[in-house]
Amino acid sequence: MRLLKGGAGNFLPAMALTLCAVLTGCQSQVPSDGNLAAVNPLSEDEIILTVPVRELADYDQLMVLKLSEILDKGAVDSAERAQLFYELGIVYDRMGLDSSARVMFMNAIFEKPDFAPAYDFMGVYLASAGHFQDAYEAFDSALELARKQGQKRIFTYFSRAIALYYGERAPMALADFERDYAQRRGDPYRLLWGYILESEVYGEKTALEKLAVRATDAAAEQQEAFGMRLVDYVLGRLSEEELLDQMRDPSLTMQERIERVCEGYFYLGKAEQIRGRDLRAFWFYHLAVATEKYDFLEHRYARLEIERLARKHSIYTYAHPTVLNTAPAEESNDDFQEEP
């Protein structure tokens, strides 16, 4: 089913209006008493701390200065300016400066309306902000432009599948997932998202069966990746303790640990959520967000998951204060019913 009506040009005005809403949305304050409706159920052994790598932050700041200087000189055409804005957007995204990144991607599109990669990023931003219809149109624009330009944008199908999942269109998401997976068979993160989507559509039992079959697609190199340890955990081949040991491996650099912890906590959260243990999932998502690995989709969607669980259970959360319910903590706790 085609989501986009018309070409990429029709998307720009609507996206600009949505962007304004995202950038200027109301900001509320966390209650002064820091009232949280759910007590952290995780043990000390389940919590792994990370520290941002200063050298990488310094590098990104230098890149912003360098790219901005090139833009300021004005000695580039529209296509080059679009590429520079896009690269600036990627750096801002990596720094966690969402508003600046979105503006850069929009600038890239205004400079070059057929710049497909910028539509990809805007789709992800719009989806993670809850503007799903606009996100679908952005992804459709990227796909349409890529088709006209003779390019393959397989990753767009993956991104749109995730957006459709969060937009409560899981059956449609599966179609995009299958199209993406056909080109990336055995990729552990595709395996994990296939499990998430199929759990929603068919139930966990069937999803696990399908995951076990797909896991045999992984090549030797893919089998060695950390993502496959996450697949092993979901399939019951690896215990949580063993997975956490992989995440805190002392031989890792801090950046490698940050990446593993961000991914690990997100998929631990999804697994717990699928099993009906929302409270544990809620706190795993917070730990994923705490890594500040802004350019990982797991970080971005962990924030959305926190918001959704906060709305579902009317609980306070530091990550998304705008969704807070004013109900006192003792009234909210009753909503968090966990399976034994």
Side-chain angles (χ1 to χ4, degrees):
M1 175 176 161
R2 189 169 180 77
L3 298 173
L4 179 65
K5 295 181 179 179
N10 293 336
F11 170 69
L12 283 170
M15 185 168 71
L17 291 174
T18 302
L19 178 62
C20 291
V22 172
L23 294 178
T24 61
C26 296
Q27 297 294 317
S28 64
Q29 299 298 315
V30 175
S32 59
D33 60 358
N35 189 11
L36 293 172
V39 177
N40 187 348
L42 305 180
S43 68
E44 290 184 10
D45 292 339
E46 292 178 293
I47 298 174
I48 303 172
L49 300 179
T50 58
V51 178
V53 180
R54 180 66 187 178
E55 291 80 3
L56 294 179
D58 291 343
Y59 173 80
D60 284 338
Q61 292 179 39
L62 288 173
M63 285 299 298
V64 168
L65 291 174
K66 179 179 179 180
L67 293 170
S68 299
E69 183 180 0
I70 296 173
L71 276 166
D72 288 342
K73 289 181 179 178
V76 290
D77 59 26
S78 293
E80 291 173 323
R81 287 179 62 82
Q83 184 65 40
L84 288 168
F85 278 126
Y86 176 72
E87 291 177 8
L88 260 175
I90 291 175
V91 177
Y92 280 132
D93 177 65
R94 196 161 57 233
M95 296 171 70
L97 302 175
D98 288 6
S99 296
S100 297
R102 285 192 290 263
V103 169
M104 293 303 105
F105 295 134
M106 283 295 296
N107 285 343
I109 291 172
F110 282 125
E111 288 286 345
K112 193 173 186 293
D114 62 349
F115 194 64
Y119 287 95
D120 262 343
F121 259 100
M122 284 306 304
V124 172
Y125 270 111
L126 290 164
S128 61
H131 300 284
F132 297 111
Q133 189 58 47
D134 293 304
Y136 306 148
E137 293 182 1
F139 290 130
D140 270 17
S141 292
L143 291 169
E144 180 179 339
L145 290 168
R147 179 182 57 78
K148 290 179 178 179
Q149 296 163 8
Q151 302 173 350
K152 286 187 177 180
R153 299 203 61 79
I154 300 300
F155 186 79
T156 306
Y157 289 109
F158 180 62
S159 299
R160 191 172 66 179
I162 296 174
L164 287 164
Y165 165 75
Y166 283 110
E168 299 183 353
R169 301 184 181 187
M172 293 177 64
L174 274 178
D176 272 355
F177 165 76
E178 293 290 355
R179 191 163 186 173
D180 172 79
Y181 187 74
Q183 303 297 319
R184 299 172 185 265
R185 299 180 67 84
D187 175 73
Y189 301 98
R190 268 66 181 183
L191 295 174
L192 290 163
W193 273 100
Y195 161 71
I196 293 168
L197 293 173
E198 289 171 338
S199 292
E200 183 76 14
V201 176
Y202 305 123
E204 185 186 11
K205 183 176 182 295
T206 299
L208 285 171
E209 292 171 353
K210 289 178 173 289
L211 175 61
V213 172
R214 284 202 189 97
T216 62
D217 294 337
E221 183 179 345
Q222 293 168 322
Q223 290 285 358
E224 296 301 316
F226 171 68
M228 284 304 297
R229 306 292 77 76
L230 297 169
V231 174
D232 289 339
Y233 167 75
V234 171
L235 289 171
R237 300 171 180 172
L238 198 71
S239 69
E240 182 186 302
E241 181 180 359
E242 290 171 324
L243 177 59
L244 291 169
D245 285 342
Q246 292 268 333
M247 292 160 59
R248 62 165 62 91
D249 184 347
S251 69
L252 299 173
T253 65
M254 180 53 68
Q255 185 60 24
E256 290 169 335
R257 173 179 286 198
I258 288 171
E259 292 175 0
R260 284 195 180 188
V261 168
C262 182
E263 294 173 348
Y265 278 134
F266 177 81
Y267 294 108
L268 277 167
K270 287 307 299 179
E272 291 291 85
Q273 197 173 2
I274 288 168
R275 296 163 187 164
R277 295 192 281 265
D278 282 3
L279 181 55
R280 285 177 57 79
F282 181 75
W283 284 97
F284 278 137
Y285 292 139
H286 274 81
L287 290 171
V289 170
T291 63
E292 298 184 10
K293 187 58 181 162
Y294 301 106
D295 57 331
F296 271 31
L297 69 86
E298 289 85 1
H299 184 282
R300 190 179 311 284
Y301 285 110
R303 289 155 60 187
L304 182 57
E305 292 285 2
I306 290 170
E307 179 178 347
R308 286 156 63 95
L309 286 172
R311 287 186 182 279
K312 177 180 177 181
H313 297 287
S314 299
I315 59 177
Y316 291 119
T317 165
Y318 293 112
H320 286 280
T322 55
V323 307
L324 302 186
N325 187 295
T326 56
E330 59 268 25
E331 293 180 11
S332 300
N333 278 334
D334 292 340
D335 292 333
F336 247 130
Q337 299 296 322
E338 301 287 336
E339 287 187 358

